[in-house]
Amino acid sequence: MNDYKIENKRKITVVVPTYNRPACISYLVEHCYSKYSGNLFCFEIHDSSSDDSTKKILDEACLGENFRYFHYDPELNGDVKTMRAISNVSTPYMYLMGDGIVMDFNALEEWLLAIDFEKYSIIGIRENTIHKYSQRSVAAQCSTQNKQQFFNDYFWMLTLYGASIISREIAQTAFKMSEKYKSLPPFMYICSVFCALEKVGGPCYFSFLPFFEFNPNKKSVGWIASRQAIEFFCYIYYESMRLLPECYNAMDSKFLKKHNDLSGLFRLKSVLKMRVTGNLTYKLFRKYKFYIKKTVPHMSYIYFALLIPAFVMRGVYKIYLRLFKKRETA
């Protein structure tokens, strides 16, 4: 895994940050990396796991010279690690891909070549089944020079590690501008990218793709387990938007709430889940009340969840899930 040569034809480095998820990497090796037979991509695994399970999987897979492995201190913040990783990419483009994304790289290569991807500073991609957009054509796409419009329409979708392919110039400029987000890591990558776009410029492209899937082995969500949903998506989100260039008009109240509406995090089912898992409590509401009111699209759901004691809410949530499943199968 240490010998690494990038052939001239390799244009895009796929950067994969991971932490204590060997099952996810094993699945990607079998269903994603080993099936790639093209010439466009090379791959880097940036691992900060507390053991060598992930490295062993990659070593045993013998994926070849177009794969490189890096290990970091497990205590290093994941977003800081990510910014460090993308700053060192030497190919003309880089694709930040989370270990929860399963991509058909052969199909992606064919698609990128068809759209002449090297014309663009940022290429945004998401799964074509994404909610709120599921009625759109699979061919729905956007190509624009308008930074504000691109930001307004696609910011939320590009927050996913797996939704953006960016030029090396954007990546390196983003790294230089990421310092101001050091205390706000959850949005460090995407906000730094849009800061870089404002400085570097260039056309952007977005499309929904049918060969974009999710890793079935990635089941846990870190910020849910650590009870940080409100902190991340109200407080840190709001403060991150404040640091963006004025041209994006990111502090517009409609935009702030649109992001959290599209995420689905503050719909009734999700708010009930936050209450049940300790992500929404009276204490957290009092602490982040200002930010909640500025960023949450459905405040009535918050008030409803808080009116009911947590132990009762657990029962309500189970009933809701049962009814929701019945409606889905009807």
Side-chain angles (χ1 to χ4, degrees), residues 6-57:
I6 298 177
E7 301 175 43
N8 290 332
K9 55 190 173 183
R10 304 286 172 177
K11 296 286 182 73
I12 304 174
T13 298
V14 180
V15 174
V16 184
T18 189
Y19 171 73
N20 285 344
R21 289 200 180 100
C24 285
I25 297 300
S26 181
Y27 188 90
L28 290 174
V29 167
E30 182 180 355
H31 297 274
C32 189
Y33 305 147
S34 63
K35 292 185 177 181
Y36 176 59
S37 58
N39 299 309
L40 193 63
F41 297 101
C42 53
F43 301 83
E44 294 182 354
I45 308 298
H46 293 263
D47 178 29
S48 51
S49 298
S50 54
D51 61 31
D52 62 353
S53 300
T54 296
K55 186 177 187 302
K56 283 181 179 178
I57 289 168

Side-chain angles (χ1 to χ4, degrees), residues 33 50 87 156 161 164 267 300 320:
Y33 305 147
S50 54
S87 71
W156 169 70
Y161 279 17
S164 58
R267 291 178 183 172
S300 58
Y320 181 89

Side-chain angles (χ1 to χ4, degrees), residues 275 280-287 305-310:
R275 185 79 171 107
L280 176 62
T281 63
Y282 300 113
K283 183 178 179 180
L284 286 168
F285 181 77
R286 287 193 296 270
K287 182 177 180 179
L306 287 171
L307 279 173
I308 306 173

Side-chain angles (χ1 to χ4, degrees), residues 4-285:
Y4 186 65
K5 299 174 183 176
I6 298 177
E7 301 175 43
N8 290 332
K9 55 190 173 183
R10 304 286 172 177
K11 296 286 182 73
I12 304 174
T13 298
V14 180
V15 174
V16 184
T18 189
Y19 171 73
N20 285 344
R21 289 200 180 100
C24 285
I25 297 300
S26 181
Y27 188 90
L28 290 174
V29 167
E30 182 180 355
H31 297 274
C32 189
Y33 305 147
S34 63
K35 292 185 177 181
Y36 176 59
S37 58
N39 299 309
L40 193 63
F41 297 101
C42 53
F43 301 83
E44 294 182 354
I45 308 298
H46 293 263
D47 178 29
S48 51
S49 298
S50 54
D51 61 31
D52 62 353
S53 300
T54 296
K55 186 177 187 302
K56 283 181 179 178
I57 289 168
L58 294 166
D59 285 342
E60 290 170 6
C62 299
L63 293 168
E65 63 181 10
N66 288 308
F67 279 77
R68 185 159 54 160
Y69 174 86
F70 298 89
H71 190 265
Y72 299 77
D73 185 333
E75 299 300 317
L76 181 66
N77 177 274
D79 296 272
V80 172
K81 176 183 72 175
T82 294
M83 296 309 298
R84 188 182 299 175
I86 70 169
S87 71
N88 291 319
V89 165
S90 59
T91 50
Y93 282 81
M94 57 115 332
Y95 176 22
L96 176 61
M97 177 179 144
D99 56 19
I101 305 300
V102 182
M103 179 62 68
D104 181 342
F105 282 102
N106 294 306
L108 180 60
E109 177 170 324
E110 185 178 347
W111 178 80
L112 286 169
L113 294 174
I115 68 166
D116 195 9
F117 74 94
E118 290 182 272
K119 295 189 301 187
Y120 302 102
S121 294
I122 300 175
I123 302 103
I125 52 177
R126 284 297 298 259
E127 70 279 17
N128 65 316
T129 56
I130 195 168
H131 77 85
K132 279 279 190 180
Y133 293 89
S134 58
Q135 300 306 312
R136 291 191 182 188
S137 164
V138 173
Q141 59 189 36
C142 162
S143 177
T144 181
Q145 290 270 6
N146 188 322
K147 296 189 289 285
Q148 166 63 37
Q149 192 62 45
F150 188 74
F151 171 82
N152 188 64
D153 289 346
Y154 301 112
F155 174 84
W156 169 70
M157 290 201 258
L158 297 181
T159 59
L160 176 71
Y161 279 17
S164 58
I165 299 170
I166 63 177
S167 70
R168 186 182 178 196
E169 187 177 10
I170 290 284
Q172 292 184 334
T173 305
F175 175 72
K176 293 174 185 175
M177 305 184 80
S178 65
E179 183 65 25
K180 62 183 177 180
Y181 289 99
K182 198 168 184 179
S183 62
L184 304 164
F187 290 90
M188 178 184 285
Y189 167 75
I190 193 57
C191 286
S192 298
V193 165
F194 273 101
C195 285
L197 181 64
E198 192 273 335
K199 233 168 182 38
V200 174
C204 301
Y205 193 97
F206 186 91
S207 187
F208 300 95
L209 302 178
F211 37 86
F212 185 120
E213 299 176 0
F214 292 93
N215 194 326
N217 286 321
K218 187 166 184 178
K219 297 175 182 177
S220 63
V221 181
W223 44 265
I224 285 287
S226 59
R227 301 180 178 181
Q228 291 179 288
I230 294 295
E231 179 186 352
F232 278 16
F233 295 97
C234 295
Y235 165 62
I236 292 180
Y237 166 55
Y238 182 89
E239 292 298 329
S240 296
M241 295 300 100
R242 287 182 60 190
L243 298 177
L244 283 169
E246 289 185 9
C247 71
Y248 293 123
N249 195 27
M251 299 312 292
D252 176 76
S253 61
K254 287 184 179 179
F255 172 80
L256 288 171
K257 292 181 179 181
K258 173 186 172 183
H259 173 280
N260 276 335
D261 189 31
L262 287 173
S263 73
L265 183 65
F266 292 98
R267 291 178 183 172
L268 182 57
K269 177 185 171 184
S270 299
V271 170
L272 291 177
K273 185 175 181 180
M274 279 198 281
R275 185 79 171 107
V276 169
T277 57
N279 278 274
L280 176 62
T281 63
Y282 300 113
K283 183 178 179 180
L284 286 168
F285 181 77

